[in-house]
Amino acid sequence: MSKRVWAGLTGLLVLAVMTLVIYQRWWLGPEIVVHTATVGTIVQTIVASGHVQSPHRIDVSAQITASVASVSVNEGQHVQKGQLLLTLEHSEAKAGLQQSLASVAQAQTHLRQLQEVSEPVAAQAQTQAQANLLSAENSLTRTQQLYDKAFVGASAKEEAQRQVSLARSQLLITQHQWRNVQANGSEIANAQAALQQAHSNVDLAQARLAYTRIVAPRSGVLIARNVEAGDGVQAGKVLLVLSPDGVTELVVQIDEKNLKWVRLGQPALFSADAFADQVFNAEVVFINPGVDPLRGSVEVKLKVLDAPAFLTQDMTVSVDIEVNRREAALQIPLTSVHIADKASTWVLTIIGKHATRVPVILGLQSKYTAEVLAGLQAGDSVIPVTEVAIHAGSRVRVKQP
């Protein structure tokens, strides 16, 4: 045969082979990758984003008006309870304390003087007054006897009586003075009250001096510093903000349509956006009873169970809240589910060699899978929705792995 004939025969052969291949593919259907309905555990979660928040923040402020002498801490620093944070100018407060201490010493000296000097002197004066009265009374008795015998006149008798009255008055005065310096006497009471007032002034001066040293009320991390050395501050002005150590919380907003699924105590997994590859555990501890009308969301708080060291205030986090779990659930990938409307959900499965539309009833849904309550059995193959060329009735072949 000539070369032209051979070329023609070869072309016809190639065309026949191609036609056969195309016919075979049409007859047998295209090869596709399918998913298989399996039985296993399915977990339904709600995904939300939020931020890290300590249970509360502590505003550290001054209690007196003064200028700042020094600041001992910086933002981001962890401090212990009682650690010095900053110092206010304290020369006036220190002088006031010294003056109060001097007043205490003076009051103590006065009280001791009453007890050690005035009381013995008063006792001696009382004894002397008693002796003087006795002497005056004896003198009056003798004068009366002489007067009765007409040896002395009335003036002598009157003088003796006057001396008795004077001695008696003097005794009353000394007795009053002696009682005043006794343990329950008025002078001792006044001296003790003065000493107590002096001690109170010392306490007040010490408190004012202590106000010049601002210390950490609790252990925690300093998240804000609003003051520098030399600044003038007023009482009540917030100088530092402390995030105390304790249970760390996550605050997230979930769509109100998911509120029916969320319950206290539900477990969750979270990761910080800055460290997305590290996952940690949390637990739902608070569900706000109100709905934000502007965002249509509900605030939910979660307690961090194993807070990592890098977790800091206001850090952005992503949270998966486990709201439902079912063991031994028949499930398929969500990528194989067709949803026409809320009442019509179906899949394409393979019966024989053809794709067949099968209605299904779904249960729980996770990120990637859905539970099948009715319509399929374990081992059934379902066709991904990405196979857009496959329709109900199409012949298909399962691509072997």
Side-chain angles (χ1 to χ4, degrees), residues 255-337:
D255 195 299
E256 62 178 312
K257 67 182 181 183
N258 294 321
L259 181 59
K260 62 182 179 180
W261 300 107
V262 183
R263 298 290 183 272
L264 295 177
Q266 288 175 332
L269 297 175
F270 78 93
S271 63
D273 288 2
F275 302 89
D277 57 332
Q278 301 184 49
V279 179
F280 301 91
N281 296 309
E283 179 184 332
V284 177
V285 294
F286 173 78
I287 303 171
N288 196 312
V291 176
D292 187 333
L294 298 179
R295 295 184 289 184
S297 62
V298 178
E299 182 182 81
V300 174
K301 294 183 180 180
L302 302 96
K303 177 177 66 176
V304 178
L305 302 180
D306 49 357
F310 61 75
L311 207 62
T312 60
Q313 180 74 29
D314 296 325
M315 181 177 282
T316 303
V317 293
S318 297
V319 180
D320 285 357
I321 303 174
E322 181 180 319
V323 297
N324 218 329
R325 172 185 288 264
R326 190 160 297 156
E327 308 294 340
L330 180 64
Q331 53 190 296
I332 58 174
L334 283 172
T335 54
S336 61
V337 178

Side-chain angles (χ1 to χ4, degrees), residues 105-348:
Q106 184 178 5
Q108 287 174 334
T109 300
H110 178 60
L111 179 60
R112 189 167 56 251
Q113 183 179 18
L114 291 175
Q115 294 170 335
E116 298 177 359
V117 179
S118 298
E119 194 276 337
V121 169
Q124 182 63 35
Q126 180 180 244
T127 301
Q128 183 63 46
Q130 288 173 337
N132 291 341
L133 176 59
L134 180 60
S135 176
E137 288 176 340
N138 291 335
S139 177
L140 176 61
T141 300
R142 290 192 299 270
T143 302
Q144 182 68 41
Q145 292 172 350
L146 292 174
Y147 176 78
D148 291 341
K149 295 177 180 181
F151 290 146
V152 296
S155 60
K157 176 185 176 181
E158 292 174 355
E159 177 62 22
Q161 290 174 336
R162 189 180 67 81
Q163 289 297 326
V164 170
S165 297
L166 182 62
R168 186 173 287 114
S169 297
Q170 188 63 37
L171 177 59
L172 290 175
I173 291 173
T174 57
Q175 287 175 335
H176 179 70
Q177 291 175 339
W178 180 79
R179 285 194 297 269
N180 283 344
V181 293
Q182 293 301 296
N184 57 349
S186 60
E187 286 196 43
I188 294 295
N190 288 336
Q192 290 174 334
L195 179 59
Q196 185 176 1
Q197 180 64 45
H199 279 300
S200 298
N201 290 339
V202 168
D203 293 339
L204 180 59
Q206 288 176 333
R208 287 176 176 170
L209 183 60
Y211 289 157
T212 65
R213 288 173 50 85
I214 299 178
V215 300
R218 287 184 57 183
S219 299
V221 177
L222 194 71
I223 59 176
R225 167 179 159 174
N226 307 319
V227 67
E228 298 294 338
D231 289 350
V233 298
Q234 295 179 341
K237 178 183 178 181
V238 176
L239 308 179
L240 308 164
V241 180
L242 183 69
S243 176
D245 293 340
V247 177
T248 302
E249 292 182 339
L250 310 177
V251 180
V252 299
Q253 300 288 334
I254 64 169
D255 195 299
E256 62 178 312
K257 67 182 181 183
N258 294 321
L259 181 59
K260 62 182 179 180
W261 300 107
V262 183
R263 298 290 183 272
L264 295 177
Q266 288 175 332
L269 297 175
F270 78 93
S271 63
D273 288 2
F275 302 89
D277 57 332
Q278 301 184 49
V279 179
F280 301 91
N281 296 309
E283 179 184 332
V284 177
V285 294
F286 173 78
I287 303 171
N288 196 312
V291 176
D292 187 333
L294 298 179
R295 295 184 289 184
S297 62
V298 178
E299 182 182 81
V300 174
K301 294 183 180 180
L302 302 96
K303 177 177 66 176
V304 178
L305 302 180
D306 49 357
F310 61 75
L311 207 62
T312 60
Q313 180 74 29
D314 296 325
M315 181 177 282
T316 303
V317 293
S318 297
V319 180
D320 285 357
I321 303 174
E322 181 180 319
V323 297
N324 218 329
R325 172 185 288 264
R326 190 160 297 156
E327 308 294 340
L330 180 64
Q331 53 190 296
I332 58 174
L334 283 172
T335 54
S336 61
V337 178
H338 297 260
I339 301 177
D341 52 55
K342 291 184 178 180
S344 177
T345 304
W346 52 278
V347 297
L348 283 177

Side-chain angles (χ1 to χ4, degrees), residues 27-173:
W27 176 253
L28 297 178
E31 284 188 327
I32 60 173
V33 177
V34 297
H35 301 308
T36 302
T38 59
V39 175
T41 301
I42 186 169
V43 178
Q44 182 178 0
T45 62
I46 294 176
V47 180
S49 62
H51 65 276
V52 178
Q53 174 179 287
S54 297
H56 63 276
R57 302 183 186 186
I58 299 177
D59 293 334
V60 181
S61 59
Q63 293 180 278
I64 59 174
T65 299
S67 60
V68 178
S70 63
V71 183
S72 307
V73 291
N74 296 309
E75 287 184 350
Q77 180 177 341
H78 187 276
V79 298
Q80 299 297 325
K81 181 179 180 180
Q83 180 177 338
L84 180 65
L85 302 180
L86 60 87
T87 303
L88 302 178
E89 199 284 323
H90 56 273
S91 57
E92 183 177 349
K94 190 174 182 180
L97 176 59
Q98 295 299 325
Q99 183 179 7
S100 298
L101 290 173
S103 297
V104 168
Q106 184 178 5
Q108 287 174 334
T109 300
H110 178 60
L111 179 60
R112 189 167 56 251
Q113 183 179 18
L114 291 175
Q115 294 170 335
E116 298 177 359
V117 179
S118 298
E119 194 276 337
V121 169
Q124 182 63 35
Q126 180 180 244
T127 301
Q128 183 63 46
Q130 288 173 337
N132 291 341
L133 176 59
L134 180 60
S135 176
E137 288 176 340
N138 291 335
S139 177
L140 176 61
T141 300
R142 290 192 299 270
T143 302
Q144 182 68 41
Q145 292 172 350
L146 292 174
Y147 176 78
D148 291 341
K149 295 177 180 181
F151 290 146
V152 296
S155 60
K157 176 185 176 181
E158 292 174 355
E159 177 62 22
Q161 290 174 336
R162 189 180 67 81
Q163 289 297 326
V164 170
S165 297
L166 182 62
R168 186 173 287 114
S169 297
Q170 188 63 37
L171 177 59
L172 290 175
I173 291 173

Side-chain angles (χ1 to χ4, degrees), residues 345-367:
T345 304
W346 52 278
V347 297
L348 283 177
T349 186
I350 300 176
I351 298 178
K353 296 183 180 297
H354 294 82
T356 304
R357 176 169 171 164
V358 176
V360 292
I361 299 175
L362 302 182
L364 302 183
Q365 295 184 23
S366 68
K367 280 185 178 180

